[in-house]
Structure formats: structure tokens, C-alpha cells
Amino acid sequence: MIKHIVMWKLKDEAEGADRATNGRKLKELLDACRGISPGMLTLEVALAQPGLEATYDAVLYSEFTDRDALNAYLDHPQHLALKPFIAAVREARQCMDYEV
């Protein structure tokens, strides 16, 4: 199994919207990717919550049966279509993939 975790720190303002609005849109776009490719086991998106420690604004946690399944997700047209929005609103990105 491959775990794919990505975190984003968002710009204060981008694409004509504030950080909170862009965070909600980011979550909506990523949530819509749930189940788009075979071998995806889990896809969970969360936004930083007031009162809880967070150095990033959004996190994606996902699991795939294997590397081919992860690549199918990464190359899926729906996933590729959201990348320009994310690139425009993000200040920083961290990613880690690992096999268990």
C-alpha cells in the first residue's frame, strides 16, 4: 500500500478570494476526486481548525493499493484539472509518499 500525504499553506489572497474561501474551494475540488481512479482506498481532505495546532492550511491524506494506482490518480484528468487553481493559491506545498 502507498500512502500519499500533501499539505498546503495558502496565500492570504489569490484568485480574487481570501485564504478561507480558497481553502474551502480547494477542499471541495479535492473531495470531488474521491474514487476517480481504481486502487484508491482512502481520500480525506481537512482544513486547519481554530484552536488546534496547524502550520499548514490544508492536508490531503490518501491511500492506494500500489504505485500504479497512485500514478493513475495523479495522471487522472480530473486531478490534473485542479492543479492550476492549487498552484495559484498556494504559498507552500509539502508532500510525502511512502509504502507500508
Side-chain angles (χ1 to χ4, degrees):
M1 175 174 30
I2 300 283
K3 294 188 180 192
H4 173 68
I5 301 169
V6 185
M7 296 184 300
W8 296 272
K9 184 176 206 91
L10 303 179
K11 296 175 183 175
D12 288 334
E13 291 195 20
E15 299 294 288
D18 64 14
R19 178 183 298 203
T21 302
N22 284 332
R24 288 188 298 273
K25 182 174 179 180
L26 172 72
K27 181 176 178 359
E28 180 182 307
L29 290 169
L30 288 168
D31 281 338
C33 288
R34 190 174 287 114
I36 62 171
S37 60
M40 179 186 289
L41 303 172
T42 301
L43 186 138
E44 180 179 305
V45 183
L47 299 176
Q49 298 176 4
L52 296 175
E53 184 178 353
T55 55
Y56 275 70
D57 299 301
V59 63
L60 165 74
Y61 173 83
S62 53
E63 297 176 350
F64 298 86
T65 54
D66 55 30
R67 209 172 290 255
D68 289 338
L70 172 59
N71 288 334
Y73 163 71
L74 294 174
D75 294 335
H76 192 281
Q78 186 171 338
H79 177 258
L80 294 174
L82 60 84
K83 290 178 100 174
F85 171 76
I86 293 174
V89 302
R90 76 173 183 183
E91 180 178 304
R93 175 187 179 270
Q94 298 294 323
C95 178
M96 184 168 179
D97 297 332
Y98 60 98
E99 194 166 0
V100 294

